[in-house]
Amino acid sequence: MEVWADLACAWAYVGRRRLEQARLGEDVEIVWRPYVIDPMAPVPSEPLEEELRDPVAEGALRALHPAPPPAEGRLEDGDRPRGAVWRANTFDAHRVVALAYGRGGAALQDAVVERILRAHFVEGSDIGDRATLVALAAEAGLDGMAEALDRGDGADEVRSELLRGKAEGVATSPTFAVGDTMVSGAQPAEVLADLVRHAAPRRELPDEVRWLRQAEALLDARDPLGALWILRPLLADHGDDPAVRLLAARAYFGSAQLGRARETLESLLERTPGDHYARFLLGRTLERANRLAEALPHLRLAAAMSPVPDHVDALDRVENRLADRLTV
């Protein structure tokens, strides 16, 4: 089971407790994956304003950690669950969690996740602070995090996993996935147990096919830079493949890297001049670069080969803009 969760998400902490209640058995490996609710969270962390807190989530946390009865008539502040008090950037915390799995497997990773969640939601610790993360990881049995964080270990892995989750449709924290089946939110224990029993097995695909599909999904989600990140190994090892080059060109175009898009499309059309979509995209690239006269023949060919609305509309638009220039 993969659990996609933000370590600053109260429902992730609640969801972890419900996983324990589900009693899935030792044959189920639970792996924590990154999700970021607040990508603009600052570094260093800032105090969390009261209006940004989720009262329903705070109530669920207090149900997990009820305050003990007062000793000698008074309750120490440290004995009361505090809830989150920091608006923390969790990228480094996700790196620590990823490194924990790589070094010690699911058991160590889960111990690190539990320690970070408890520190954030029960103890009011700042999990965006590296020194705090290093200490928490060591308490959970994971040493060497100060040097690892300074080296940048885990950063690429977390970025790739964040993009994979986005491409696969993860849209909330927590999301529980087994095979190709997902459920979102801090589901009751019986729902999580049913997920394990009835989930459809994941269809195994070669890495190259999986990366292509993820890049396509990210382009559909209007994340061209994320698509380019996913395409890196394919461009390195299969850069001459027409499907890879066309996806890269789409990502360059979507991220306004018009020079790279043009060069990629021109080289692609030298080999496959009959590719009407590549022809159309080259015309659009030249149009966006305000090179209308150069765009026109490509758009005419694209519209002739495949007179779909997008192709015809782009051709009409460029012809009208050129006509307006001549009139002026």
Side-chain angles (χ1 to χ4, degrees):
M1 174 186 284
E2 293 181 299
V3 184
W4 301 85
D6 195 342
L7 296 163
C9 171
W11 292 114
Y13 194 13
V14 174
R16 188 187 176 284
R17 287 290 175 268
R18 291 178 179 172
L19 270 177
E20 292 176 343
Q21 297 165 5
R23 301 183 183 277
L24 301 179
E26 295 182 357
D27 57 334
V28 177
E29 182 181 69
I30 298 170
V31 182
W32 292 82
R33 303 297 190 195
Y35 185 85
V36 175
I37 293 174
D38 185 5
M40 301 304 292
V43 178
S45 304
E46 295 176 349
L48 185 65
E49 300 294 337
E50 188 67 34
E51 59 267 20
L52 294 178
R53 298 180 186 174
D54 182 342
V56 177
E58 296 282 336
L61 284 172
R62 280 167 168 73
L64 292 174
H65 295 281
E72 299 181 359
R74 62 189 297 270
L75 181 69
E76 297 294 334
D77 181 63
D79 293 333
R80 186 185 301 278
R82 301 178 63 183
V85 297
W86 292 99
R87 183 185 176 203
N89 187 298
T90 55
F91 187 78
D92 280 348
H94 286 306
R95 290 170 59 197
V96 170
V97 169
L99 291 169
Y101 184 74
R103 296 188 182 188
L108 178 59
Q109 186 190 50
D110 188 63
V112 170
V113 168
E114 164 65 19
R115 188 66 194 94
I116 292 174
L117 287 171
R118 185 178 181 89
H120 184 62
F121 289 109
V122 180
E123 300 165 8
S125 299
D126 176 9
I127 63 169
D129 175 70
R130 283 195 177 182
T132 299
L133 282 174
V134 169
L136 293 172
E139 289 176 24
L142 178 64
D143 295 319
M145 285 299 99
E147 297 82 0
L149 290 173
D150 288 344
R151 286 194 303 266
D153 294 359
D156 285 357
E157 179 181 350
V158 169
R159 290 190 185 99
S160 295
E161 288 296 293
L162 286 169
L163 291 169
R164 178 169 74 89
K166 184 176 183 179
E168 293 182 0
V170 177
T172 192
S173 169
T175 295
F176 302 88
V178 179
D180 286 330
T181 305
M182 293 182 180
V183 296
S184 299
Q187 298 288 340
E190 56 269 21
V191 172
L192 299 176
D194 283 343
L195 173 64
V196 171
R197 284 194 293 266
H198 303 302
R202 180 180 291 272
R203 182 183 174 191
E204 294 299 327
L205 296 171
D207 286 342
E208 292 79 4
V209 175
R210 184 165 47 83
W211 290 329
L212 279 173
R213 292 188 177 181
Q214 289 174 10
E216 289 174 343
L218 290 168
L219 284 171
D220 290 342
R222 298 186 178 182
D223 186 355
L225 292 177
L228 285 171
W229 179 273
I230 293 294
L231 285 171
R232 290 180 311 155
L234 288 173
L235 288 170
D237 297 334
H238 306 281
D240 291 334
D241 184 275
V244 174
R245 294 182 70 78
L246 185 57
L247 271 179
R250 289 176 59 194
Y252 290 139
F253 177 80
S255 57
Q257 299 181 64
L258 301 181
R260 288 185 174 181
R262 178 179 57 79
E263 292 173 3
T264 302
L265 290 163
E266 286 176 344
S267 66
L268 183 61
L269 286 167
E270 287 178 1
R271 297 173 54 185
T272 55
D275 187 332
H276 65 85
Y277 181 77
R279 186 75 61 182
F280 163 74
L281 191 57
L282 178 56
R284 287 284 290 115
T285 300
L286 293 166
E287 179 192 3
R288 284 186 66 182
N290 206 31
R291 297 165 65 169
L292 301 182
E294 296 174 63
L296 186 59
H298 296 291
L299 293 175
R300 281 176 173 165
L301 278 171
M305 288 187 285
S306 178
V308 297
D310 282 351
H311 295 186
V312 174
D313 290 346
L315 174 60
D316 289 344
R317 185 174 59 249
V318 169
E319 287 180 334
N320 290 335
R321 289 179 64 187
L322 283 170
D324 289 342
R325 285 186 181 182
L326 290 174
T327 301
V328 173

